[in-house]
């Protein structure tokens, strides 16, 4: 597709916003992209059209903005297909005005079957199955639908309450590492579990 202006697209909500000049993202109802979530700042981020392309800036938000998993610390030039994470709560995608093909989400990613405890990557079932803690981690991240999951969330969900006090950060990191390795058996070119340092983790389904 080719459009006169770039687009910001929401995968989950189906929203689509044109960037004709300046597009404001935030919790204030007057924002162009309104996100009703207290983790999102009232004026969180802005996408601007410039002579050299489209640029994203974080407007001093409390909980941050990321592009393809990297924290936005200054004006960031956007490329077609870039993923924007707003306060690790909502994923948006950038579609350049010069894009000639639609952005496709279907057909790839991690899926789970709660009844059989099976995990599928790009349609292929992981075999052998994940261990109990590995399954619980994947289910927690999957059900969060791209939102941030903290270390405390993982400990509370994966380990029994009576053991939680003894769960170290190294144990959480080891679990994350093992699950990443299992997912990479099917899809080695995409890291599904993204680390947001100082915040936690989220599942990045293409």
């Amino acid at each position: 597709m080719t459009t006169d202006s770039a687009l910001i697209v929401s995968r989950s909500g189906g929203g689509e916003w044109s960037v004709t000049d300046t597009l404001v993202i935030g919790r204030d109802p007057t924002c162009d992209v309104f996100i009703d979530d207290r983790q999102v700042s009232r004026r969180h981020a802005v996408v601007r059209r410039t002579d050299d392309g489209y640029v994203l800036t974080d407007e001093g938000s409390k909980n941050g903005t990321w592009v393809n998993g990297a924290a936005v610390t200054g004006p960031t030039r956007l490329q077609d297909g870039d993923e924007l994470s707003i306060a690790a709560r909502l994923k948006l995608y950038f579609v350049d005005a010069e894009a000639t093909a639609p952005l496709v989400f279907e057909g790839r990613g991690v899926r789970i079957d709660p009844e059989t405890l099976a995990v599928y990557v790009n349609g292929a079932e992981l075999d052998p199955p994940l261990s109990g803690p590995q399954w619980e981690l994947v289910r927690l991240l999957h059900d969060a639908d791209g939102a941030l999951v903290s270390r405390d969330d993982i400990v509370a969900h994966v380990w029994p309450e009576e053991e939680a006090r003894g769960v170290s950060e190294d144990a959480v990191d080891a679990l994350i590492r093992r699950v990443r390795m299992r997912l990479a058996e099917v899809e080695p070119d995409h890291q599904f579990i993204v680390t947001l340092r100082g915040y936690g983790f989220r599942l990045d389904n293409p």
Side-chain angles (χ1 to χ4, degrees):
M1 65 181 174
T2 301
T3 62
D4 293 332
S5 60
L7 300 174
I8 296 296
V9 178
S10 169
R11 172 182 176 179
S12 57
E16 181 177 292
W17 301 268
S18 296
V19 189
T20 55
D21 183 20
T22 299
L23 186 81
V24 181
I25 303 168
R27 187 164 49 89
D28 192 305
T30 63
C31 289
D32 302 300
V33 182
F34 169 55
I35 306 173
D36 188 14
D37 190 308
R38 294 192 62 82
Q39 298 299 315
V40 176
S41 297
R42 295 187 67 82
R43 183 183 172 95
H44 197 101
V46 175
V47 179
R48 292 182 174 87
R49 186 175 187 171
T50 71
D51 292 339
D52 297 325
Y54 294 84
V55 174
L56 171 72
T57 57
D58 181 274
E59 298 292 288
S61 69
K62 179 180 179 181
N63 292 314
T65 305
W66 291 263
V67 173
N68 301 326
V72 173
T73 58
T76 300
R77 174 79 178 273
L78 295 175
Q79 304 292 332
D80 184 53
D82 279 350
E83 177 193 287
L84 285 58
S85 178
I86 307 299
R89 304 296 287 180
L90 177 69
K91 287 197 292 185
L92 302 171
Y93 295 84
F94 175 75
V95 181
D96 194 89
E98 301 301 320
T100 57
L103 195 61
V104 177
F105 298 120
E106 293 75 12
R108 301 185 67 242
V110 174
R111 301 291 179 265
I112 65 172
D113 185 337
E115 293 187 2
T116 64
L117 306 186
V119 175
Y120 299 86
V121 180
N122 298 344
E125 183 177 357
L126 289 184
D127 186 22
L130 297 182
S131 69
Q134 292 169 359
W135 157 258
E136 292 297 343
L137 172 64
V138 171
R139 181 169 68 171
L140 177 64
L141 292 168
H142 180 274
D143 290 349
D145 195 25
L148 176 73
V149 174
S150 70
R151 287 179 178 273
D152 289 343
D153 293 334
I154 293 173
V155 171
H157 185 82
V158 173
W159 284 274
E161 184 176 350
E162 60 270 22
E163 298 180 7
R165 294 181 181 178
V167 178
S168 66
E169 288 194 4
D170 287 343
V172 175
D173 290 338
L175 179 62
I176 293 286
R177 184 166 58 252
R178 288 194 296 268
V179 172
R180 279 176 172 156
M181 291 174 63
R182 291 302 314 277
L183 300 178
E185 293 173 6
V186 177
E187 176 55 275
D189 296 327
H190 182 78
Q191 182 163 285
F192 288 101
I193 302 178
V194 176
T195 301
L196 301 176
R197 297 191 182 281
Y199 293 91
F201 308 89
R202 64 177 179 80
L203 184 66
D204 180 20
N205 261 337

